[in-house]
Amino acid sequence: MVKILAFLLFLSFCYLQVLNPYYVDIKSIVYKDYIWTMNINKQHEQNLQSNNPDIVNATVRFEVLDKRVLHFKLFDKLKTRWEAPVLNPLPGADYKKVLMNTMGLTFTGQPFGFEISDPLSEEVFVSAMEYDNCSLNFTDKFIEFGLWFPAKSIFGLGERVTPDFKLCDGGEKCTYTIFSKDAQSPLDDGSHPGGKNMYGHQPFYLVHLLGNDLLGDKFVGVLFMNSNAQDVIIERTFASINVYHKTVGGIIDFYFFYPETPENVLKKYHSLVGRPYLPPFWALGYHQSRYGWKNLETVKKVVEKFDEEDIPLDAIWADVDYMDNYTDFTVDPVKYKGLPEFVDELHTKSMKWVPILGPGLRRNLSDTYYKSWVSQKALIQSARTKQELVGKGLADLVSFPDWLHPEATKLWHEGLSSLYAKVKFDGIWLDMNEVTNLCDGEIIVKKTASDPHDPTEFDQLPYTPGNVNLSKKAISLTGYHKAAKPEDEEFLKEFNLHSMWSIYEAEATHKYFEETKRRPFVLTRASFIGSGMFASKLLGDNFSKWEYLRYSIGGLYNFQMFGMPLVGADVCGFLGDADEELCMRWMQLGAFYPLTRNHNDANAKDQEPYRWPKVARASRNAIRQKYSILRYYYTKLFEVSANGGSVVRPLFFECPKDPKAHRKRNETFMIGPALMVAPVLTPKTSIVSPYFTNEDWFDLFSKKKIMEYYKHAIEGAIINITTDDYVSVFLKGGNIVPFQDATKAKIRRLDTLQYLPMEIVIAPDHNGTAKGNFIVDSQSSTNPLATKEYVNVEMEFLRKNLTLTVKNEGEYRACLLYTSPSPRDSCASRMPSSACKKKKKKK
């Protein structure tokens, strides 16, 4: 259907004023197989720079992916351009084709534009109309596309550190740059011209739509599927948000996720780009790291002190100190002599060891391993020398794997195998994989005086996102990758692929664990759309300051949206010196991150939690508090791996129409739908003031009722609660959670939980009902979801009776015994931990 609409107010922030917009060629409109296609043309070409020709003839494509997901593409009709791929979407993606005329799509032809309304409400939720002649620009090296939303709040667009989870909060116009870059956590408030982007490239966002009473309960998801450097300009008015995407390459490629709850939108999004992988259970424990452990004896003393101070410890991480001259897959034979035996001893004590790997392979032409990469031409190639591109690493010249080369993954696995033969690692930490280069562009090894820098097509772009040289601390944008087909060669340059390097590295590393029959545990600093399929996320180099403690909560939220639920910040801060109070409060907060790792810089003071008595005591308690709920925490991770969605979320995800829940979004956080954590986030206080929605709420550890539902109220209440050595954790009425009292048992290793009795904590709602579940799986399986080696125990409390239903689809069995006393306000049923066996098939 084609409909010419009247007038729509659409404010704009244009880079290039479009004097002759696109018009639809009516005769070209075709509808076939749930897809609309049409050609759009300009009447004449604009007079632009010679290296940035206007694209006069384009094609538009609307595709229905399911009844709540619409895909929109706009691309050059005459010439093929680079398109960023959606990597390996899950084969189980539950998209069902539906008729286009049920999708609420209306487009105009004179000039081209469109808007989408929700078929359920018939209200427009996004518009891309070109009445002002500037919402669409499409040239060779500058693309601009504008969208309008009836909304007040927008979230996402990673990676960055923001003062608040909400973007452009308090400002009328903000600029956010997206392009993977090594940056030490600059605070990004959106002030123009941007350029405060960090490690990840995540052009996805949620928009909270307005309702009849200003705050609605529906969110829209938007993915701009583009891997090139880009800016996103946000303009806010009282009742609308305008979003302008500006990029320097690729095509216009959007996925629109129709209005639903934020959880449902995220589930749809993750089913498109790939649902998160399932990490091992031990990944949820406490991890200690440090850049600057100069020798193995230092590390041994750290482990000894944890045991002496009775502080739980599950994993030791190794920064580059363990390497021989900062060379990947090596161990320093002097400073770290005896490392294999030490790691074996860690394993006997149920602890793990996770080493770092850098992005560059040390350029050593006498090294057999490096020469194998060179001989296969499996390294990124220089457009200038026609040989491997050379950059700068921590100690020497390096070259970088070309993950598109068919031999690259095999060679990477050979390196990992050689390291594992030396020392039995349990996970891999991929660092500086934006990819970071400690020089700008490349180093010409045999440079002569008559070999000046050749100007490239990317040196003078018509628009530079962030107003920062894109080659700064990065590989030369002219570096090129192996093409499977000759016609693809012009596209496979760093200009297009830079931000995707990390996901290819994560995928190769993930596959190594699968091929060696071990559950993958891969940590990455950089990320791209869909990285959660292969890796978990470190939030990077933060600062030992109170504000960065608070900012970290927004970082957790963002990467739940981006599909990387196992995420955490460097506890106590990486850069600078943490004092006792800051580190104590950060250990309490960080203990409840999905990924809990204390890590800091070589130039900073020691900050292991045993360094201060108060920090030691608080850490002991907080880590064991997390241990106590790990069955629940792991269940949420398992469910997100199966279905998508978030593990950690802001309270307003549960109650989007409650304005007070929005105001407290960075002061508390939910773990799943049942638990709310309220840490101390400011100095010189032991009081927290969480907001409780109008429901029954209980203190999880004392079992006391904190808040009671009031049927005549809509909003809840803020309640001041004194806390010090323990973290306040609250259970919302209507939920049942598994609980193991690790504090009472004083356990020091996460694996001890398998011997600890399990309780079922029931928190009835005002109707006297509650539901919950927990999942037990085979930790020896690399992917228990695929092999169906798990059981799901569903729990329902109704009319003072507790019913447990054990479900599984495979042969895996869990033997469970339980008793249930009569609950009052809140109660606990006790059961022994599961004894899980694989049932043998009958012959």
Side-chain angles (χ1 to χ4, degrees), residues 6-12 115 127 129 131-132 147-149 237 240-242 244:
F7 176 78
L8 177 67
L9 179 62
F10 191 23
L11 301 176
S12 64
E115 64 183 20
S127 179
M129 294 298 182
Y131 297 114
D132 60 357
L147 298 169
W148 171 91
F149 302 91
T237 66
S240 68
I241 292 177
N242 301 325
Y244 296 88

Side-chain angles (χ1 to χ4, degrees), residues 355-358 412 428-433 502 505-507 509 522-526 535 538:
I356 195 173
L357 290 175
W412 186 252
I428 288 292
W429 166 18
L430 303 172
D431 196 37
M432 300 177 70
N433 55 340
S502 64
E505 183 192 37
E507 181 181 22
T509 309
V522 181
L523 285 301
T524 180
R525 188 173 80 170
L538 297 163

Side-chain angles (χ1 to χ4, degrees), residues 194-354:
K196 295 182 179 179
N197 45 306
M198 291 169 57
Y199 318 112
H201 186 108
Q202 301 285 351
F204 172 76
Y205 51 97
L206 284 175
V207 179
H208 187 190
L209 299 178
L210 295 173
N212 294 330
D213 51 356
L214 291 185
L215 277 180
D217 60 355
K218 296 295 189 290
F219 288 70
V220 170
V222 180
L223 170 65
F224 181 43
M225 191 65 209
N226 185 291
S227 65
N228 293 89
Q230 57 193 265
D231 280 338
V232 182
I233 315 295
I234 297 173
E235 288 185 342
R236 298 174 67 243
T237 66
F238 174 73
S240 68
I241 292 177
N242 301 325
V243 181
Y244 296 88
H245 295 264
K246 303 173 188 288
T247 186
V248 292
I251 64 170
I252 297 170
D253 192 354
F254 283 95
Y255 294 82
F256 296 106
F257 300 84
Y258 281 45
E260 295 193 53
T261 66
E263 275 302 291
N264 285 340
V265 172
L266 294 183
K267 287 176 181 179
K268 293 281 189 184
Y269 175 57
H270 298 158
S271 70
L272 171 75
V273 301
R275 299 184 184 106
Y277 86 105
L278 181 64
F281 189 73
W282 62 263
L284 285 164
Y286 178 74
H287 304 239
Q288 185 64 49
S289 182
R290 175 74 196 267
Y291 175 29
W293 283 335
K294 295 182 179 179
N295 53 53
L296 183 59
E297 291 306 310
T298 302
V299 183
K300 287 181 177 179
K301 289 178 182 177
V302 168
V303 175
E304 290 170 1
K305 284 294 292 182
F306 269 88
D307 283 346
E308 288 175 12
E309 296 294 330
D310 189 32
I311 301 174
L313 177 63
D314 296 291
I316 287 289
W317 293 38
D319 210 315
V320 293
D321 312 284
Y322 83 94
M323 295 179 179
D324 185 9
N325 198 23
Y326 303 110
T327 303
D328 281 350
F329 311 121
T330 66
V331 176
D332 190 307
V334 178
K335 295 177 182 178
Y336 275 77
K337 182 180 180 181
L339 180 61
E341 294 78 12
F342 170 70
V343 171
D344 289 343
E345 185 180 352
L346 289 180
H347 290 156
T348 64
K349 296 179 179 179
S350 300
M351 288 183 280
K352 309 296 181 181
W353 187 72
V354 181

